[in-house]
Amino acid sequence: MSEQAPLTSGFGLRSTAADVVAGIDLSGKTALVTGGYSGLGLETVRALAGAGARVIVGARRPDTAAADLDGISGVEILKLDLSDPASVDAFAAEVAGVTGKIDILINNAAVMANALARDAKGYESQFATNHLGHFRLTARLWPLLKAAGPGTRVVVLSSIGHRIAGIDFDDIGFDRRDYNKWLAYGQAKSANALFAIQLDALGKPHGIRAFAVHPGGIVTPLQRHLTMEEQVAMGWIDAEGNINPRFKTVEQGAATSVWCATSPLLADKGGVYCEDCDIAARWTEGMDVNVGVRGHAIDPAIAAQLWTVSEEMTGVAFSG
């Protein structure tokens, strides 16, 4: 298991992305954020650019991204559709054409609880976009991450939704069982956390460390596939549309990603699941179900198995 031990970072549930990056100078650093023009991604980009980083944004809708990111200096936008392997490859090639290194990679983009859809290879869309797309992208960018040298960080957006389901290796793509949008989301978010575990093991000899992040409950465009009735039933909003007071603002939701990408406290750490700007506790019976990480999402044996399956499904492997 990973070393899941909170650090008492000094930040917490209500800290913002601006709070955690205050006093940190990212001048000379190059960051890449997928989906960095909406919701959490936008605030993540704002914080990193505000600290002096050059930020490359992978966007499925570049024109929309240009409008949303207008006024934030040091940002470049390139087209990226994580559900399309050809688009991922083309994006990675474009990135290699504009920079020789990536110091910070934040795999932020995601879909959630959508109706059954499949990517160009026929893979279930939540697993394909949230996990396989980022797996392929990170593999293609691996030479640029290694070129940045020690101190390079990869942040993978997971979710407390990982508690819903682990990886069903017998039917990852819902080819035999009935599709359930929440089981598919839980599986994809468990995959995100497990990816960070194995990626850290691979990257550690190169000084590349990886972290999984639960950003917290936040209302963002990620909920676009859910009806108001569904969100009321889950307690996210009430019948009048008021947001659950436990939810974070978008600025607070982006804080843990930015903390993992920049905090000096994590200089010699990695392969951990983080929440509320700290390393999360390993969940045990009796704890609040909305906090902590379940064992299946930080198990190195499962992470290694998923890595092998991901290589087979994408047809790509990490070089060295």
Side-chain angles (χ1 to χ4, degrees):
M1 293 289 183
S2 63
E3 297 178 4
Q4 288 293 142
L7 300 173
T8 313
S9 70
F11 299 108
L13 177 73
R14 298 302 175 191
S15 298
T16 67
D19 291 337
V20 302
V21 83
I24 293 176
D25 183 7
L26 298 180
S27 300
K29 303 287 188 182
T30 298
L32 192 155
V33 183
T34 65
Y37 62 102
S38 176
L40 299 178
L42 175 59
E43 295 307 320
T44 299
V45 170
R46 194 189 310 278
L48 296 175
R54 173 193 184 188
V55 186
I56 299 170
V57 172
R60 190 166 52 86
R61 298 171 293 159
D63 290 343
T64 300
D68 292 344
L69 292 164
D70 185 44
I72 303 177
S73 61
V75 176
E76 301 161 57
I77 301 165
L78 298 175
K79 184 173 177 56
L80 171 65
D81 182 348
L82 286 162
S83 68
D84 180 356
S87 174
V88 174
D89 291 349
F91 172 79
E94 280 195 85
V95 171
V98 299
T99 183
K101 68 181 179 73
I102 295 173
D103 301 278
I104 297 168
L105 171 60
I106 300 185
N107 290 331
N108 165 84
V111 293
M112 180 178 75
N114 55 280
L116 178 61
R118 298 192 181 276
D119 74 352
K121 287 190 168 185
Y123 298 142
E124 187 277 315
S125 63
Q126 294 193 71
F127 190 80
T129 300
N130 298 350
H131 172 59
L132 293 178
H134 282 123
F135 182 92
R136 185 183 194 92
L137 176 62
T138 308
R140 296 303 194 211
L141 297 177
W142 195 238
L144 297 180
L145 291 163
K146 289 196 295 183
T152 301
R153 298 190 189 180
V154 180
V155 179
V156 185
L157 270 285
S158 182
S159 165
I160 195 62
H162 80 270
R163 72 186 183 205
I164 301 170
I167 310 298
D168 186 337
F169 287 105
D170 293 325
D171 190 19
I172 286 176
F174 290 84
D175 298 305
R176 293 186 295 278
R177 54 184 167 150
D178 291 337
Y179 178 72
N180 178 298
K181 66 185 182 181
W182 286 112
L183 284 180
Y185 180 68
Q187 176 177 250
K189 292 291 102 179
S190 287
N192 290 145
L194 291 163
F195 175 44
I197 298 294
Q198 187 67 9
L199 182 66
D200 186 74
L202 179 68
K204 187 176 179 179
H206 303 287
I208 303 169
R209 306 309 301 262
F211 305 86
V213 164
H214 166 45
I218 312 111
V219 173
T220 74
L222 190 64
Q223 284 94 6
R224 61 185 174 275
H225 296 292
L226 302 179
T227 65
M228 181 174 178
E229 289 74 18
E230 286 178 295
Q231 294 183 63
V232 170
M234 290 186 289
W236 294 359
I237 58 175
D238 64 20
E240 285 71 48
N242 300 305
I243 299 171
N244 186 323
R246 288 185 55 161
F247 272 31
K248 298 181 179 184
T249 65
V250 180
E251 294 84 357
Q252 292 165 347
T256 304
S257 294
V258 175
W259 181 77
C260 285
T262 64
S263 175
L265 291 176
L266 297 173
D268 60 347
K269 299 185 183 300
V272 289
Y273 174 101
C274 300
E275 64 186 7
D276 296 339
C277 305
D278 206 338
I279 296 175
R282 187 180 287 108
W283 188 84
T284 57
E285 289 292 338
M287 286 177 60
D288 183 339
V289 296
N290 295 303
V291 301
V293 61
R294 276 53 174 182
H296 71 258
I298 53 173
D299 187 309
I302 300 174
Q305 183 179 3
L306 176 64
W307 191 276
T308 299
V309 170
S310 300
E311 288 182 328
E312 294 170 351
M313 293 178 76
T314 60
V316 301
F318 284 64
S319 55

